[in-house]
Amino acid sequence: MEKIMSGFHDISEGKVSLSDEAYLSLKESILNGDIAKGATYTQSEIVKTLGIAISPLRAAINKLETEGLIKVLPRSGIQIIDTDFALTRNTYQLRVILEREGLKSYIRSATDEEINNFRQKHIALRNEINSCSSNVLVCEKLAKLDSELHNAFILSLNNQIITKNYLANEDLIRLTRLDRVDLASNEMLLRTNEEHLTLIDAIADRDPVKALESLDTHLEKSIKRAMGLWGF
């Protein structure tokens, strides 16, 4: 599972190639905002910023262009993808299609212990949201738990092609959320957490109709939140 969730790169324990290091470094710098989305950089600028060699960087650039995070502009440099409503809509549309199939599989295969573990994590996070003054900190925790839950649906399909495309799409979704983290309120975080709990309850009941309805509602509200419509 660890290899799958790392995006199918050959990163076995204790053995990471220079091209893998460059790929992971550049990718994470884009997804956390250290390298600005929409901006254009030369290879020498990225080498200086990240402290990586030019040859591994070129291999990383090729991978990231395939994944859609960057675009190589001849004689201009490397443009980091920018985000807009169209990208947000498209990524969430793909997410809905894949997760609906994954959820149906997960309902059949997940153990009661695993489902209850997700429930307890969400209950603990709800208590933390209610008592924590740092929205950014709990937002990061909720984002991590969100990925853990939704990735479980996809992994239950045991299909590497679906998983690879889903993870690449999740990177694009993460990029669209960059501008929204600081704006998240406790109310929004609690609402998202409760949507997860409703979905988890339906999974625990082994009720595919109710679970799919809960997932559809959650993802519909998620895309609106991603677009900055904070009433959802």
Side-chain angles (χ1 to χ4, degrees):
M1 180 182 297
E2 186 65 29
K3 184 175 180 180
I4 292 176
M5 296 313 295
S6 67
F8 296 96
H9 309 295
D10 187 15
I11 306 176
S12 55
E13 187 175 350
K15 184 180 179 181
V16 181
S17 69
L18 291 177
S19 61
D20 283 329
E21 286 183 349
Y23 167 84
L24 293 172
S25 178
L26 178 53
K27 181 177 181 177
E28 186 58 30
S29 294
I30 293 170
L31 294 179
N32 67 23
D34 288 342
I35 290 182
K37 62 182 182 179
T40 301
Y41 298 86
T42 64
Q43 289 189 24
S44 60
E45 287 174 330
I46 295 177
V47 165
K48 183 178 180 180
T49 299
L50 301 182
I52 55 181
I54 190 69
S55 182
L57 175 62
R58 287 171 179 161
I61 288 170
N62 289 336
K63 286 184 181 181
L64 290 172
E65 186 173 31
T66 300
E67 293 176 8
L69 283 174
I70 65 174
K71 183 178 181 181
V72 177
L73 305 176
R75 296 180 297 278
S76 296
I78 302 150
Q79 184 179 57
I80 312 304
I81 188 175
D82 206 351
T83 56
D84 54 22
F85 280 0
L87 179 64
T88 301
R89 181 191 64 242
N90 292 343
T91 54
Y92 272 87
Q93 184 178 44
L94 179 58
R95 184 181 181 186
V96 169
I97 293 170
L98 297 180
E99 286 196 22
R100 283 179 61 87
E101 291 306 308
L103 178 58
K104 286 184 272 187
S105 172
Y106 187 74
I107 291 172
R108 295 191 298 268
S109 62
T111 65
D112 291 341
E113 181 181 5
E114 181 180 355
I115 296 168
N116 188 57
N117 183 45
F118 274 123
R119 180 186 287 111
Q120 295 306 314
K121 286 182 178 180
H122 281 83
I123 291 173
L125 185 57
R126 178 174 61 193
N127 295 335
E128 187 171 351
I129 293 171
N130 282 322
S131 61
C132 184
S133 59
S134 173
N135 286 347
V136 174
L137 179 61
V138 291
C139 189
E140 290 174 354
K141 289 186 177 182
L142 179 58
K144 182 178 180 180
L145 186 54
D146 178 274
S147 292
E148 185 181 344
L149 176 63
H150 290 276
N151 286 345
F153 304 160
I154 299 301
L155 288 174
S156 72
L157 292 168
N158 195 28
N159 184 312
Q160 291 192 350
I161 295 175
I162 290 176
T163 302
K164 182 177 181 179
N165 283 280
Y166 179 82
L167 292 175
N169 191 61
E170 281 296 284
D171 287 337
L172 293 173
I173 290 176
R174 181 178 167 188
L175 196 63
T176 67
R177 291 172 173 168
L178 267 182
D179 298 332
R180 308 295 178 188
V181 173
D182 293 339
L183 301 176
S185 65
N186 276 21
E187 180 184 1
M188 190 212 77
L189 297 176
L190 285 170
R191 192 173 298 161
T192 302
N193 198 66
E194 289 304 315
E195 290 166 16
H196 280 180
L197 282 168
T198 299
L199 174 56
I200 290 167
D201 286 342
I203 295 171
D205 292 339
R206 311 292 176 173
D207 186 337
V209 174
K210 183 179 177 183
L212 287 169
E213 288 177 352
S214 298
L215 178 66
D216 288 343
T217 298
H218 170 54
L219 293 181
E220 180 181 354
K221 292 181 177 181
S222 292
I223 188 174
K224 290 177 179 177
R225 287 190 287 262
M227 290 180 172
L229 305 177
W230 298 111
F232 295 92

